[in-house]
Amino acid sequence: MKKLLFTCLIALAASVTSSAQLATYVLDDFENGLINFTALVNANPAATFDFTVVDNPVKAGINTSNKVMKCARFDATPDVNQIWAGFYATLKTPIPTGYHRIEIKYLRTNATSQLRIKCEGAVSKEMDPVTPASQTNVWENMVFNIYSNGIKNVTVFSVFPDYYQPVDPAAITYIDDITVVYDPSIVPPPAPTLLTLFDNSADNRFYDTSWVNPVAPSTVVTENWDPTATTPGDKMPVVTSPVKAGTNALKLDWKSMTGGDWMAMVASIGWKSFDLSTMTHLKFWINSPVALAKTALPKVYLEAFSGTPNVTGKLQLGDYLTTDLAANTWTEISIPLADLWAADPTFTSKSVIKDVFFAQNATDGVEHTLYMDEFTFVTLSTLFSNSANSRFYDTSWINPTAPSTVVTENWDPTATTPGDKFPVVSSPVKSGPNALKLQWKSATGGDWAGMVAAIGWTVFDLTNGTSLDFWVNSPVALAKSALPKIFLESASGTPNHTGKVDMGNYLTTDLAANTWTEVTIPLADIWAADATFTSKEFVHGVFFGQNVVDNVEHTLYLDEFIFLQPFITTGFFTPNADAKITAYYSNGEIKIPTYNGRVRVFDFTGRTIIDGIASEGKISVTMKKGIYIVNTAIGSTKISVR
């Protein structure tokens, strides 16, 4: 069973460096009588506004400058009374990623006009000010939070000076001092380990931030946002049953035909931009009302707000199922983002993802239905769960010094030399198809070390980590004092490895024969073993090393290595990751004393076990043996069901 690393990442060093170079500046104040921030102001529609620099009509209050920009609506045909009328302009100097606000001084001469802006770049979005205009013939400061809206690298800036209905065809407004604000007091939050793309629809008939496009003769069932419309519309339908969690789920009903095509897109409410550069998997749940071959499932890919290309390569959804779909059964799909990035290596816009697309695959001419729910992006980072090779584990290294010995494997099956890899066994295993085998003898005058790293030599940021967790099994009873020492290695630093701790210190009893036992080592103990080690954010391997010299050969099977960290989530709610809560499982209930509210329980694959409401500190759920994360609005904790 793969385990979920609840990784609380700090801001990337590159981002910190970039932010340190930013400073608040005025994009334009019009004081020289000219429009300076762009070479051309494009009225849009073309004959609806005049934009000119004029004398300040009200030199008082927060704005005593001499020159301002006048925005005068005149609404010539054919584009009369368009609420979205205004201008767009390509900036002479783009606004780089990392700024927090755009502030504009605004004066309206009527009681209705409102100011709205649009920023276009890596992420394009329209937005209203934090507080709308409320006065007439008085300068007000309009604040637009571009940081919280995910705006990145603005190249085109648009202004809607009279965004209000009914439109005042004679509206005159003024703007001045367009200021781009960098606020050093805003500390970037830790990178989340769970992002929610779709949880529920606000409407039980259709999902607004979706789009469906069938090309005949292929068909897809759609809904129109207007319930009185007679045309099919382009929205994905929503159902209230079946659902995986919450009040509703999406319905994808398609028929793929030769010569036709179709695609269907799901985005988040508010068209959020998702930075997936540190995430590892796309996860969602599907349910078919009838048994369905996995080969009949659609293709899947991601779309970004910007980039060339702005879509990833396509994957076969069925490749991420081990069996065909059983009828009326919710099945979780887990797609490594690495597979999506690899499907088209020219796609690089991982930090501005906006939606998930499904597309035509097998043209079987049969109508199929899938209910879909709980779309999330997660960080699933295990140090070791399974080996791709059933004989050895590639990202490992063993180095014995005679007369001590360690059994090893050579990556080359024809080699006659011992090699330097950890052997792999298919039995016993804690979960999955295989586990590691550590077979050693510690002798006087000798030494040995064996290292386990993640596939791909993943680097783990353990700055906020709490513990190293893994499972061990001995074929015979084994005294805990005979177990090896443990330390961590980083990809850089001096020293680049921690001090050593005795594994046996983290067991309450000696090992029983043929029994899987969990070992949990607080990272604080490992850091304390050598206070000069500081490279906590670059850890890439766990080392085992010689301890007691007893000249006896011992064997340990090892499985399911994870680093446990606080759980950070954004989506329906964001719990306080530092809060300490108490939870335990008993008689079919998770009990959280004194807590009433939403509870999400995840297993270590990141699969949602339950998403519901606790009442009087209890929520009913059937749980198998294993390790789970209980996530609430006041904090999170790990529980073990035995």
Side-chain angles (χ1 to χ4, degrees), residues 25 28 30 46 55 67 170 190 254 309 326 352 437 444 495 556 591 628 630:
Y25 67 97
D28 207 338
F30 311 107
D55 292 335
K67 298 291 185 180
W254 79 94
V352 288
K437 179 182 179 181
T444 302
L556 271 185
K591 299 181 180 181
Y628 300 88
V630 178

Side-chain angles (χ1 to χ4, degrees), residues 136-156:
T136 303
N137 292 313
V138 174
W139 284 102
E140 299 178 84
N141 192 46
M142 300 289 102
V143 178
F144 300 87
N145 280 336
I146 58 174
Y147 183 78
S148 61
N149 277 282
I151 300 302
K152 299 182 178 184
N153 192 34
V154 182
T155 56
V156 177

Side-chain angles (χ1 to χ4, degrees), residues 14 24 75 158 160 173 190 249 266 288 297 346 359-360 367 467 472 533 571 634:
T24 297
D75 273 343
S158 301
F160 313 95
T173 59
V266 181
S288 171
L297 294 175
T346 65
Q360 177 163 303
E367 188 169 50
S467 60
V472 298
F533 176 83
I634 60 172

Side-chain angles (χ1 to χ4, degrees), residues 30 61 133 170 228-229 280 283 312 384 390 441 444-445 468 513 628 634 641:
F30 311 107
T228 66
T280 62
K283 299 172 78 70
T312 68
F384 173 81
S390 60
K441 182 171 69 174
T444 302
L468 164 64
Y628 300 88
I634 60 172
V641 177

Side-chain angles (χ1 to χ4, degrees), residues 46-66:
T48 52
F49 262 99
D50 275 335
F51 299 101
T52 54
V53 176
V54 300
D55 292 335
N56 186 348
V58 182
K59 294 181 67 173
I62 64 170
N63 191 13
T64 58
S65 65
N66 295 316

Side-chain angles (χ1 to χ4, degrees), residues 194-201 207 236 239 242-251 266-267 274 281-287 330-335 356 358 371-378 569-573 598-602 606-612 631:
L194 187 148
L195 298 166
T196 300
L197 180 83
F198 172 83
D199 192 343
N200 283 299
S201 171
Y207 182 52
M236 197 171 287
V239 297
V243 299
K244 180 65 183 71
T247 57
N248 51 45
L250 303 170
K251 180 182 179 182
V266 181
F274 294 92
H281 286 71
L282 163 65
K283 299 172 78 70
F284 57 97
W285 293 78
I286 60 175
N287 185 319
W330 282 103
T331 302
E332 188 174 33
I333 301 289
S334 181
I335 302 176
V356 176
F358 298 92
Y371 303 108
M372 305 190 294
D373 207 354
E374 299 297 293
F375 285 72
T376 59
F377 300 109
V378 301
T569 176
T570 62
F572 192 84
F573 61 89
R598 189 173 183 187
V599 178
R600 277 180 169 173
V601 179
F602 303 88
R607 184 173 64 246
T608 304
I609 302 303
I610 189 171
D611 183 346
N631 179 220

